[in-house]
Amino acid sequence: MYMAGYDDEHEFDAAASDLITVEGLGKLIHCPYLAIGGEDDELTALETTFALLDDISAPKELMLLQGERHNMDKPPKFVDEITYIADWLADCLAGGTPESVLTLVGQDGRIRRTPWSDRPAYHHGLPEVVLGDHLPEVVLGE
């Protein structure tokens, strides 16, 4: 509400249907795209994030931190997202082409990556069921 410039909840509710969305913007993105977000983001619905990324034809990655909110004020100690972003950008600028992947970081420290095109539907809070134990675990930075 505040980020949209509204202080009054009733005014916000009345105007919400006319606010700008990201619908259709993914088709305009032609460069590698990295998104890092919390599974419990209270400002951005995961369905919107997945829809945006599905529309991007360029290499893309979503690093989803299980149990984290929008501001990720207490990110897991085993993930340094700032270093990951810097390394990802450095690789891109050096001519590397990132893979299109979903990277799921569990609260237990397990990190799983699956190709974007092979990812099953994501279900909140169920990384074991959705991604399964058959997928390889990775250590970021390798």
Side-chain angles (χ1 to χ4, degrees):
M1 189 170 83
Y2 174 78
M3 290 172 41
Y6 288 88
D7 293 324
D8 182 89
E9 188 169 348
H10 296 292
E11 286 180 38
F12 174 77
D13 290 344
S17 63
D18 295 328
L19 296 176
I20 296 172
T21 71
V22 296
E23 188 174 336
L25 294 180
K27 294 180 184 348
L28 303 175
I29 298 173
H30 302 288
C31 63
Y33 190 91
L34 172 65
I36 298 178
E39 176 186 48
D40 295 330
D41 189 325
E42 67 278 15
L43 300 179
T44 305
L46 275 179
E47 295 82 8
T48 302
T49 302
F50 278 103
L52 172 70
L53 288 163
D54 281 339
D55 282 347
I56 296 173
S57 60
K60 64 226 169 193
E61 177 175 353
L62 171 60
M63 177 184 281
L64 190 58
L65 305 175
Q66 184 184 26
E68 290 298 319
R69 295 178 42 222
H70 181 80
N71 64 356
M72 296 185 292
D73 55 350
K74 297 177 186 170
K77 291 183 171 80
F78 41 83
V79 174
D80 180 355
E81 68 275 3
I82 300 302
T83 300
Y84 189 81
I85 293 168
D87 289 345
W88 191 90
L89 285 172
D91 289 346
C92 287
L93 293 172
T97 302
E99 298 175 53
S100 290
V101 295
L102 169 63
T103 301
L104 183 64
V105 180
Q107 290 181 317
D108 59 0
R110 295 169 68 171
I111 299 170
R112 291 194 176 84
R113 295 175 58 140
T114 189
W116 192 263
S117 60
D118 294 345
R119 69 177 172 76
Y122 181 77
H123 298 283
H124 180 273
L126 299 174
E128 301 301 325
V129 173
V130 174
L131 296 179
D133 287 324
H134 65 282
L135 296 173
E137 289 188 45
V138 297
V139 176
L140 297 180
E142 286 186 343

